[in-house]
Coordinates of all heavy atoms in Angstrom, one line a residue:
G23 N 117.0 78.5 97.7 CA 117.4 79.1 98.9 C 117.9 80.5 98.8 O 117.6 81.4 99.6
V24 N 118.6 80.8 97.7 CA 119.0 82.2 97.4 C 117.8 83.1 97.3 O 117.7 84.2 97.9 CB 119.9 82.3 96.2 CG1 120.1 83.7 95.8 CG2 121.2 81.6 96.5
T25 N 116.8 82.7 96.5 CA 115.6 83.5 96.3 C 114.8 83.7 97.6 O 114.3 84.8 97.9 CB 114.7 82.8 95.2 OG1 115.5 82.6 94.0 CG2 113.5 83.7 95.0
E26 N 114.7 82.6 98.4 CA 114.0 82.6 99.6 C 114.6 83.6 100.6 O 113.9 84.4 101.3 CB 113.9 81.2 100.2 CG 113.1 81.1 101.5 CD 113.1 79.7 102.0 OE1 112.4 78.8 101.4 OE2 113.8 79.4 103.0
K27 N 115.9 83.6 100.7 CA 116.7 84.5 101.6 C 116.5 85.9 101.2 O 116.3 86.8 102.0 CB 118.1 84.1 101.6 CG 119.0 85.0 102.5 CD 118.5 84.8 104.0 CE 119.4 85.6 104.9 NZ 118.9 85.6 106.3
L28 N 116.5 86.2 99.9 CA 116.3 87.6 99.4 C 114.9 88.1 99.7 O 114.7 89.2 100.1 CB 116.6 87.7 97.9 CG 118.1 87.5 97.5 CD1 118.2 87.5 96.0 CD2 118.9 88.6 98.1
I29 N 113.9 87.2 99.5 CA 112.6 87.7 99.7 C 112.3 88.0 101.2 O 111.7 88.9 101.6 CB 111.6 86.6 99.3 CG1 111.6 86.5 97.7 CG2 110.2 86.9 99.7 CD1 110.8 85.3 97.2
F30 N 112.9 87.1 102.1 CA 112.8 87.3 103.5 C 113.6 88.5 104.1 O 113.1 89.2 105.0 CB 113.1 86.1 104.3 CG 112.2 84.9 104.1 CD1 112.5 83.6 104.4 CD2 110.9 85.1 103.6 CE1 111.7 82.6 104.3 CE2 110.0 84.1 103.5 CZ 110.4 82.8 103.8
S31 N 114.7 88.8 103.5 CA 115.7 89.7 104.1 C 115.8 91.1 103.5 O 116.0 92.1 104.2 CB 117.1 89.1 104.1 OG 117.1 87.8 104.8
V32 N 115.6 91.2 102.2 CA 115.7 92.5 101.5 C 114.4 93.2 101.6 O 113.5 92.9 100.8 CB 116.2 92.3 100.1 CG1 116.4 93.6 99.4 CG2 117.5 91.5 100.0
K33 N 114.3 94.1 102.5 CA 113.0 94.8 102.7 C 113.1 96.3 102.4 O 112.1 96.9 101.9 CB 112.6 94.7 104.2 CG 112.4 93.3 104.7 CD 111.2 92.6 104.0 CE 110.9 91.2 104.5 NZ 109.8 90.6 103.9
N34 N 114.2 97.0 102.6 CA 114.3 98.4 102.4 C 115.6 98.8 101.8 O 116.7 98.8 102.5 CB 114.2 99.1 103.8 CG 114.1 100.6 103.6 OD1 113.7 101.1 102.6 ND2 114.4 101.4 104.7
P35 N 115.7 99.0 100.5 CA 114.5 98.9 99.5 C 114.1 97.5 99.3 O 114.9 96.5 99.5 CB 115.1 99.6 98.3 CG 116.5 99.3 98.3 CD 116.9 99.3 99.8
A36 N 112.9 97.3 98.8 CA 112.3 96.0 98.6 C 113.0 95.2 97.5 O 113.6 95.9 96.6 CB 110.8 96.1 98.3
Y37 N 113.0 93.9 97.6 CA 113.6 93.1 96.6 C 113.0 93.3 95.2 O 113.7 93.3 94.2 CB 113.5 91.6 97.0 CG 114.1 90.6 96.1 CD1 115.3 90.8 95.4 CD2 113.4 89.4 95.8 CE1 115.8 89.9 94.6 CE2 113.9 88.4 95.0 CZ 115.1 88.7 94.3 OH 115.7 87.7 93.5
S38 N 111.8 93.7 95.1 CA 111.1 93.9 93.9 C 111.6 95.1 93.1 O 111.3 95.3 91.9 CB 109.6 94.0 94.1 OG 109.3 95.0 95.0
T39 N 112.3 96.0 93.8 CA 112.8 97.2 93.2 C 114.2 97.1 92.6 O 114.8 98.0 92.2 CB 112.8 98.4 94.2 OG1 113.7 98.1 95.3 CG2 111.4 98.6 94.7
L40 N 114.7 95.8 92.6 CA 116.1 95.5 92.1 C 117.1 96.3 92.8 O 117.9 97.1 92.2 CB 116.1 95.8 90.6 CG 115.4 94.8 89.7 CD1 115.5 95.2 88.3 CD2 115.9 93.3 89.9
P41 N 117.3 96.2 94.2 CA 118.4 96.9 94.9 C 119.7 96.2 94.5 O 119.7 95.1 93.9 CB 118.0 96.6 96.3 CG 117.2 95.4 96.3 CD 116.4 95.4 95.1
P42 N 120.8 96.9 94.9 CA 122.1 96.3 94.5 C 122.3 94.9 95.1 O 122.9 94.0 94.4 CB 123.1 97.3 95.2 CG 122.3 98.6 95.2 CD 120.9 98.2 95.4
E43 N 121.9 94.6 96.3 CA 122.0 93.3 96.8 C 121.2 92.3 96.0 O 121.7 91.1 95.8 CB 121.6 93.2 98.3 CG 121.7 91.8 98.9 CD 121.3 91.8 100.4 OE1 120.9 92.8 100.9 OE2 121.3 90.7 101.0
G44 N 120.0 92.6 95.6 CA 119.2 91.7 94.8 C 119.9 91.4 93.5 O 119.9 90.2 93.1
V45 N 120.4 92.4 92.8 CA 121.0 92.2 91.5 C 122.3 91.4 91.7 O 122.5 90.4 90.9 CB 121.4 93.5 90.8 CG1 122.2 93.3 89.6 CG2 120.1 94.3 90.5
F46 N 123.1 91.7 92.7 CA 124.3 90.9 93.0 C 124.0 89.5 93.2 O 124.7 88.6 92.7 CB 125.1 91.6 94.1 CG 126.4 90.9 94.4 CD1 127.5 91.3 93.7 CD2 126.5 89.9 95.4 CE1 128.8 90.7 94.0 CE2 127.7 89.3 95.7 CZ 128.8 89.7 95.0
T47 N 123.0 89.2 94.1 CA 122.8 87.8 94.5 C 122.1 87.1 93.3 O 122.2 85.8 93.2 CB 121.9 87.8 95.8 OG1 122.5 88.7 96.7 CG2 121.9 86.4 96.4
N48 N 121.3 87.8 92.5 CA 120.7 87.1 91.3 C 121.8 86.7 90.4 O 121.8 85.6 89.8 CB 119.8 88.1 90.6 CG 118.4 88.2 91.3 OD1 118.1 87.5 92.2 ND2 117.6 89.2 90.9
T49 N 122.9 87.5 90.3 CA 124.0 87.1 89.5 C 124.7 85.9 90.1 O 125.2 85.0 89.3 CB 125.0 88.3 89.4 OG1 124.4 89.4 89.0 CG2 126.2 87.9 88.5
L50 N 124.8 85.8 91.4 CA 125.3 84.6 92.0 C 124.5 83.3 91.6 O 125.1 82.3 91.3 CB 125.3 84.7 93.5 CG 125.5 83.5 94.4 CD1 126.9 82.9 94.1 CD2 125.3 83.8 95.9
G51 N 123.2 83.5 91.6 CA 122.3 82.4 91.2 C 122.6 81.9 89.7 O 122.7 80.7 89.4
L52 N 122.8 82.9 88.9 CA 123.2 82.6 87.5 C 124.5 81.9 87.4 O 124.7 80.9 86.6 CB 123.2 83.9 86.6 CG 121.9 84.6 86.4 CD1 122.1 85.9 85.6 CD2 120.9 83.6 85.6
L53 N 125.5 82.3 88.2 CA 126.8 81.6 88.2 C 126.6 80.1 88.6 O 127.2 79.2 88.0 CB 127.8 82.3 89.1 CG 128.2 83.7 88.6 CD1 129.1 84.4 89.7 CD2 129.1 83.5 87.3
I54 N 125.8 79.9 89.7 CA 125.6 78.5 90.1 C 125.0 77.7 89.0 O 125.3 76.5 88.8 CB 124.8 78.5 91.4 CG1 125.5 79.2 92.5 CG2 124.3 77.1 91.8 CD1 124.7 79.4 93.8
L55 N 124.0 78.3 88.3 CA 123.3 77.6 87.3 C 124.2 77.2 86.1 O 124.3 76.1 85.6 CB 122.1 78.4 86.8 CG 121.3 77.8 85.6 CD1 120.6 76.5 86.1 CD2 120.2 78.8 85.1
V56 N 125.1 78.2 85.7 CA 126.0 78.0 84.6 C 127.0 76.9 85.0 O 127.4 76.0 84.2 CB 126.7 79.3 84.2 CG1 127.8 79.0 83.2 CG2 125.7 80.2 83.6
F57 N 127.5 76.9 86.3 CA 128.5 75.9 86.7 C 127.8 74.5 86.6 O 128.5 73.6 86.1 CB 128.9 76.2 88.2 CG 129.8 75.2 88.8 CD1 131.1 75.1 88.4 CD2 129.3 74.3 89.7 CE1 131.9 74.1 89.0 CE2 130.1 73.3 90.3 CZ 131.4 73.2 89.9
G58 N 126.6 74.4 87.1 CA 126.0 73.1 87.0 C 125.8 72.6 85.6 O 126.0 71.4 85.2
A59 N 125.5 73.5 84.7 CA 125.3 73.2 83.2 C 126.6 72.7 82.6 O 126.7 71.8 81.9 CB 124.7 74.4 82.5
L60 N 127.7 73.4 83.0 CA 129.0 73.0 82.5 C 129.5 71.6 83.0 O 130.0 70.8 82.2 CB 130.1 74.1 82.8 CG 130.0 75.4 82.1 CD1 130.9 76.4 82.8 CD2 130.3 75.3 80.7
I61 N 129.2 71.4 84.2 CA 129.5 70.1 84.8 C 128.7 69.0 84.1 O 129.3 67.9 83.7 CB 129.3 70.0 86.3 CG1 130.3 71.0 87.0 CG2 129.5 68.6 86.9 CD1 131.7 70.6 86.9
F62 N 127.5 69.2 83.9 CA 126.6 68.2 83.2 C 127.1 67.9 81.8 O 127.1 66.8 81.3 CB 125.2 68.7 83.2 CG 124.4 68.2 84.4 CD1 124.1 68.9 85.5 CD2 123.8 66.9 84.3 CE1 123.4 68.5 86.6 CE2 123.1 66.4 85.4 CZ 122.8 67.2 86.5
W63 N 127.5 69.0 81.1 CA 127.9 68.8 79.7 C 129.2 68.0 79.7 O 129.4 67.1 78.9 CB 128.1 70.2 79.0 CG 128.5 70.0 77.6 CD1 129.8 70.1 77.1 CD2 127.6 69.8 76.5 NE1 129.7 70.0 75.7 CE2 128.4 69.8 75.3 CE3 126.3 69.6 76.4 CZ2 127.9 69.5 74.1 CZ3 125.7 69.4 75.1 CH2 126.5 69.4 74.0
I64 N 130.2 68.3 80.6 CA 131.5 67.6 80.6 C 131.3 66.2 80.9 O 131.9 65.3 80.2 CB 132.4 68.3 81.6 CG1 132.9 69.7 81.1 CG2 133.7 67.4 81.8 CD1 133.7 70.5 82.1

């Protein structure tokens, strides 16, 4: 969902150019992934 929203919404500058919103929200995705991994390990 995060990726889909960025592709649809970040147009100027384009998501492919790594704008600040894209980098920030990609970091959010990494945090969600790490949280899930920690829960699974525990």
Side-chain angles (χ1 to χ4, degrees):
V24 168
T25 304
E26 183 180 287
K27 181 61 177 177
L28 289 175
I29 292 174
F30 288 163
S31 302
V32 181
K33 300 294 185 181
N34 188 22
Y37 180 39
S38 58
T39 63
L40 290 177
E43 181 181 357
V45 174
F46 182 86
T47 314
N48 285 349
T49 306
L50 167 62
L52 291 176
L53 289 173
I54 294 174
L55 180 63
V56 172
F57 175 75
L60 290 171
I61 294 298
F62 267 98
W63 184 262
I64 291 173

